[in-house]
């Protein structure tokens, strides 16, 4: 695998060297290079230098230009305005750099590994045992899965953690009911043709409703349920065995939903709240002994100067309640200890709803005070906003209940399959391909709508818009990819070959310069945990390809053979970049659509 320096990084280095050579008094200076609509790049760092050195910026710019080494990189450089450098690269440099990327056989496209890669633990996709997954679980799963793939591609060692809700007082009620009605988790609906996941969830739903009704109406059952919580927390074997049945039944359901989402979730990655039970007492003891937490009205609390309630009084993080029970904070802090000490994490990433921001701010600050987080180990909440309906309000059914995630995914696939079917005859797709592509397009549409929005913003869930063939949708990107694959199949004897000696048309240059930025975009996305920037890059890539396709006929018989080969080469590397980029977002790119 050979990493390839981007045109921008090579140019940046040449300019920095020229600045040092021309202006030795400047020390190490940044040329402040950026893309420009007047040329390929503009460097405007000379203005700041001129102020510092009390010189004339245009004269300094001319000195820097003169100090640039002769190379095949730059075609034209001009000093404009008060000392900006407008730089146009040579067509040869663009084509040669792309050829080096294409030659990288592992489909890395010359993207280098991060030299400072470490270990990141990502906490995402956190469903609750014995509860149905709803639209609110979608974002954590989709954003987390994309970040896992992107970070691994950059060389990071990633540990996945699904912190499922599998502990707490409600299990007393559920377990007690199951002990008294032992067949309630049997799959009664198997003959109805329901899939395993649906059957598991319908059993759990039925049991949850029945136990809740009894708990609310029968004081004796309520008392037995509370005793059962004590037995669960004490690790009584029969109670634990019943609890495990709920967890196992829920996993059948979880896996069926994640399978629909085209996501891999492995059993060892599921470490729920219960996984940290043995650490809770020790976590509290350490916090109290070190003075990080203090007793307040019988509870173990951590206080912060900048966190106050509406009454102006400090709002603490409660680690242990007055009644001796542990709050979420004790579990989250124990998880941090485990991830830092046992998993050797350098970074902890939590893909959690923005409404949990204050909780995590307090948890992270507590962990810093305790020394579990420090300069070497960082924690970050990748906070996400709410999924809204078309009306701009939180997404609910007409009856006002939260939308089931499975129903939503099924409808997306149904809509997408209809879109694929419309075009299928023209392409000659079989029924099997229509069904498979319908799934890839539908699930891709849902994921892309989520990932193309900055995570912290709310976004509207509008299926009509999501499966549209035009605009910023995954379907547009998938069709762009399929179109390129079709061109490559129809090329006959002509093969994709780079020809650096050829002049490039404006649309070819624009496409080439954008293709070269793939690695830099991925580096930025990984560093800032911002998958929407990758989605934006891919949409722009597809748009630039559409312009290229319209303006530069690829398989025209009027073109010389080398022009056809070079354009096929641009098609091929665009397809590979789209395919790789979409895969990093967890989205499939069908070969024919």
């Amino acid at each position: 695998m050979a990493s390839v320096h981007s045109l921008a990084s090579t140019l940046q280095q040449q300019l920095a060297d020229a600045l040092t050579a021309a202006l030795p008094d400047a020390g190490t200076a940044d040329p402040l290079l950026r893309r420009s609509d007047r040329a390929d790049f503009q460097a405007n760092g000379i203005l700041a230098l001129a102020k510092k050195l009390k010189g004339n910026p245009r004269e300094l710019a001319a000195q820097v230009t003169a100090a640039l080494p002769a190379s095949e990189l730059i075609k034209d450089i001009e000093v404009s305005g008060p000392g900006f450098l407008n730089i146009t690269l040579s067509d040869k440099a663009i084509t040669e750099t792309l050829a080096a990327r294409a030659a990288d056989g592992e489909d890395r496209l010359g993207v280098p590994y991060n030299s400072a890669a470490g270990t990141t633990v990502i906490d995402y996709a956190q469903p609750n045992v014995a509860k149905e997954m709803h639209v609110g679980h979608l974002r954590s799963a989709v954003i987390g899965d994309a970040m896992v793939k992107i970070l691994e591609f950059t060389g990071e060692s990633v540990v996945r953690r699904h912190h499922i809700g599998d502990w707490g007082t409600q299990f007393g009620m559920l377990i007690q009911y199951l002990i008294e009605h032992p067949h309630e988790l049997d799959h009664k609906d198997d003959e109805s043709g329901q899939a395993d996941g649906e059957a598991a969830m319908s059993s759990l739903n039925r049991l949850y409703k029945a136990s809740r009704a009894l708990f609310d109406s029968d004081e004796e059952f309520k008392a037995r349920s509370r005793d059962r919580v004590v037995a669960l927390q004490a690790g009584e074997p029969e109670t634990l065995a019943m609890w495990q049945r709920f967890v196992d039944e829920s996993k059948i359901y979880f896996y069926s939903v994640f399978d629909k989402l085209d996501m891999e979730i492995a059993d060892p990655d599921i470490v729920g709240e219960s996984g940290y039970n043995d650490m809770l007492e020790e976590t509290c003891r350490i916090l109290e002994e070190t003075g990080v937490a203090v007793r307040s009205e019988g509870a173990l609390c951590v206080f912060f100067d900048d966190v106050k309630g509406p009454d102006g009084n400090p709002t603490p993080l409660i680690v242990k309640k007055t009644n001796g029970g542990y709050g979420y904070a004790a579990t989250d802090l124990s998880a941090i200890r485990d991830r830092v000490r046992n998993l050797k994490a350098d970074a902890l990433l939590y893909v959690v709803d923005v409404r949990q921001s204050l909780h995590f701010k307090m948890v992270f600050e507590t962990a810093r005070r305790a020394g579990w987080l420090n300069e070497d180990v960082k924690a970050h909440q990748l906070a996400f906003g709410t999924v809204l309906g078309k009306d701009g309000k939180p997404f609910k059914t007409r009856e006002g209940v939260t939308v089931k995630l499975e129903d939503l995914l099924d409808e997306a696939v149904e809509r997408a399959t209809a879109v694929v079917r419309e075009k299928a005859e023209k392409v000659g797709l079989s029924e099997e391909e229509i069904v498979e592509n319908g799934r890839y397009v539908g699930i891709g549409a849902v994921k892309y709508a989520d990932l193309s929005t900055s995570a912290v913003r709310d976004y509207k869930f509008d299926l009509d818009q999501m499966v549209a063939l035009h605009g910023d949708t995954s379907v547009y990107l998938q069709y762009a990819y399929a179109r390129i694959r079709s061109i490559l199949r129809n090329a006959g004897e002509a093969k994709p070959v780079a020809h650096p000696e050829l002049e490039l048309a404006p649309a070819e240059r624009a496409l080439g310069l954008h293709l070269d930025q793939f690695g830099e975009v991925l580096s930025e996305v990984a560093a800032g945990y911002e998958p929407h920037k990758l989605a934006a890059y891919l949409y722009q890539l597809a748009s630039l390809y559409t312009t290229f396709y319209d303006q530069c006929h690829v398989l025209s018989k009027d073109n010389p053979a080398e022009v056809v080969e070079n354009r096929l080469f641009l098609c091929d590397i665009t397809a590979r970049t789209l395919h790789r980029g979409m895969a990093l977002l967890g989205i499939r790119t069908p070969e024919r659509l």
Side-chain angles (χ1 to χ4, degrees):
M1 183 253 145
S3 65
V4 178
H5 291 296
S6 70
L7 293 159
S9 65
T10 306
L11 180 58
Q12 167 90 7
Q13 190 58 55
Q14 287 193 11
L15 284 168
D17 291 347
L19 275 168
T20 308
L23 311 166
D25 299 342
T28 53
D30 187 347
L32 296 178
L33 190 69
R34 60 181 180 80
R35 289 298 304 273
S36 166
D37 50 7
R38 306 218 171 152
D40 294 335
F41 291 94
Q42 186 176 76
N44 48 22
I46 292 169
L47 284 178
L49 267 181
K51 276 185 188 165
K52 186 175 158 187
L53 300 173
K54 300 189 170 48
N56 178 315
R58 283 187 69 89
E59 285 173 17
L60 292 180
Q63 285 173 261
V64 172
T65 306
L68 275 166
S71 82
E72 294 189 319
L73 178 67
I74 298 171
K75 177 185 175 185
D76 185 48
I77 183 163
E78 61 160 17
V79 179
S80 91
F84 297 132
L85 293 180
N86 286 337
I87 302 155
T88 304
L89 302 184
S90 72
D91 293 349
K92 185 181 184 190
I94 294 172
T95 306
E96 282 182 343
T97 301
L98 292 183
R101 293 196 177 286
D104 186 7
E106 293 180 51
D107 225 19
R108 285 197 64 82
L109 300 160
V111 175
Y113 287 102
N114 176 8
S115 57
T119 299
T120 297
V121 176
I122 302 190
D123 189 322
Y124 69 108
Q126 307 106 345
N128 292 311
V129 164
K131 285 190 183 169
E132 210 141 10
M133 288 175 74
H134 56 77
V135 68
H137 291 112
L138 178 68
R139 299 207 73 184
S140 177
V142 169
I143 296 167
D145 187 57
M147 280 316 309
V148 167
K149 290 178 164 73
I150 291 162
L151 286 171
E152 284 185 336
F153 188 73
T154 63
E156 190 75 3
S157 174
V158 176
V159 181
R160 301 156 173 80
R161 276 292 173 265
H162 307 295
H163 190 88
I164 62 171
D166 65 352
W167 204 249
T169 52
Q170 78 274 20
F171 283 98
M173 171 184 91
L174 293 168
I175 292 166
Q176 189 59 37
Y177 190 86
L178 188 59
I179 285 171
E180 294 174 17
H181 304 81
H183 298 296
E184 278 301 302
L185 279 186
D186 299 350
H187 288 201
K188 296 173 184 173
D189 296 316
D190 279 359
E191 297 92 50
S192 70
Q194 276 187 314
D196 285 350
E198 287 177 73
M201 197 62 240
S202 91
S203 299
L204 288 164
N205 260 340
R206 197 173 53 246
L207 192 148
Y208 189 86
K209 284 175 184 163
S211 63
R212 168 55 68 187
L214 194 59
F215 187 85
D216 290 342
S217 63
D218 184 333
E219 286 302 319
E220 288 179 9
F221 177 73
K222 188 183 277 188
R224 292 197 297 278
S225 297
R226 286 185 172 145
D227 290 344
R228 189 59 60 186
V229 176
V230 176
L232 177 65
Q233 289 175 340
E236 191 273 316
E238 185 198 13
T239 306
L240 272 183
M242 287 292 184
W243 167 81
Q244 191 62 49
R245 278 193 71 189
F246 280 102
V247 174
D248 293 343
E249 196 72 8
S250 298
K251 279 184 182 176
I252 295 170
Y253 163 68
F254 295 159
Y255 288 154
S256 76
V257 178
F258 289 125
D259 188 51
K260 275 188 180 173
L261 266 171
D262 197 15
M263 244 178 234
E264 279 182 33
I265 302 277
D267 230 39
D269 304 335
I270 296 180
V271 182
E273 294 168 355
S274 63
Y276 305 99
N277 283 346
D278 295 345
M279 298 175 69
L280 301 179
E281 189 51 52
E282 190 185 17
T283 297
C284 292
R285 182 178 56 73
I286 293 168
L287 291 173
E288 192 167 10
E289 282 177 4
T290 54
V292 173
V294 294
R295 294 274 167 191
S296 175
E297 296 174 26
L300 188 62
C301 304
V302 183
F303 288 91
F304 310 87
D305 294 339
D306 57 346
V307 183
K308 294 188 168 60
D311 55 4
N313 291 328
T315 302
L317 181 71
I318 298 172
V319 186
K320 194 172 188 180
K321 300 172 192 170
T322 312
N323 66 1
Y326 300 101
Y328 288 126
T331 308
D332 287 334
L333 287 162
S334 297
I336 288 175
R337 284 177 59 215
D338 174 61
R339 292 164 185 184
V340 173
R341 190 177 62 188
N342 299 328
L343 302 178
K344 305 287 185 262
D346 306 296
L348 306 176
L349 183 61
Y350 291 78
V351 188
V352 185
D353 192 316
V354 70
R355 287 170 292 195
Q356 303 281 331
S357 294
L358 180 60
H359 169 79
F360 278 101
K361 180 186 168 188
M362 292 158 82
V363 165
F364 296 161
E365 176 54 31
T366 300
R368 273 190 286 273
R369 291 180 189 177
W372 304 326
L373 296 177
N374 49 44
E375 279 310 300
D376 301 323
V377 189
K378 303 274 192 299
H380 179 82
Q381 182 194 356
L382 203 177
F384 56 82
T386 306
V387 182
L388 307 174
K390 285 187 194 179
D391 58 3
K393 293 176 182 162
F395 199 31
K396 303 266 200 245
T397 63
R398 284 191 186 133
E399 293 73 41
V401 295
T402 309
V403 180
K404 293 180 192 174
L405 184 50
E406 274 192 301
D407 292 351
L408 204 79
L409 300 177
D410 290 344
E411 191 184 345
V413 170
E414 201 178 299
R415 295 275 191 96
T417 307
V419 170
V420 172
R421 196 177 291 283
E422 269 175 44
K423 301 244 178 189
E425 204 174 320
K426 203 170 157 188
V427 190
L429 295 182
S430 67
E431 182 59 28
E432 195 180 337
E433 285 175 305
I434 291 170
V435 170
E436 184 178 81
N437 287 355
R439 184 180 169 219
Y440 293 157
V441 171
I443 298 303
V446 170
K447 288 184 177 180
Y448 186 84
D450 193 320
L451 293 167
S452 58
T453 307
S454 170
V456 77
R457 287 174 52 202
D458 299 342
Y459 82 97
K460 284 186 185 173
F461 196 96
D462 181 347
L463 274 177
D464 294 329
Q465 205 176 331
M466 287 179 187
V467 297
L469 298 175
H470 304 290
D472 190 1
T473 66
S474 67
V475 196
Y476 174 66
L477 299 178
Q478 286 166 323
Y479 267 103
Y481 175 79
R483 177 198 276 169
I484 300 172
R485 299 299 299 159
S486 169
I487 291 168
L488 293 169
R489 281 194 298 273
N490 294 332
E493 297 294 305
K495 295 284 176 277
V497 181
H499 284 276
E501 74 280 3
L502 291 178
E503 271 191 36
L504 297 175
E508 292 175 308
R509 295 185 95 260
L511 179 62
L513 285 165
H514 191 70
L515 283 163
D516 185 53
Q517 288 180 289
F518 185 52
E520 288 171 349
V521 168
L522 283 178
S523 173
E524 192 182 337
V525 167
Y529 306 129
E530 297 172 303
H532 69 279
K533 290 186 175 176
L534 175 55
Y537 169 85
L538 294 171
Y539 173 60
Q540 200 181 347
L541 177 59
S543 304
L544 288 166
Y545 179 80
T546 302
T547 306
F548 156 78
Y549 179 78
D550 291 342
Q551 293 180 7
C552 306
H553 299 295
V554 178
L555 297 177
S556 169
K557 291 186 173 59
D558 300 335
N559 287 336
E562 59 270 23
V563 171
V564 174
E565 288 178 345
N566 200 58
R567 287 180 178 172
L568 283 172
F569 163 72
L570 284 170
C571 288
D572 183 55
I573 191 166
T574 301
R576 286 172 62 187
T577 306
L578 275 172
H579 175 73
R580 169 54 70 203
M582 293 288 267
L584 292 174
L585 293 177
I587 299 172
R588 306 261 186 166
T589 39
E591 294 292 300
R592 305 194 314 151
L593 261 183

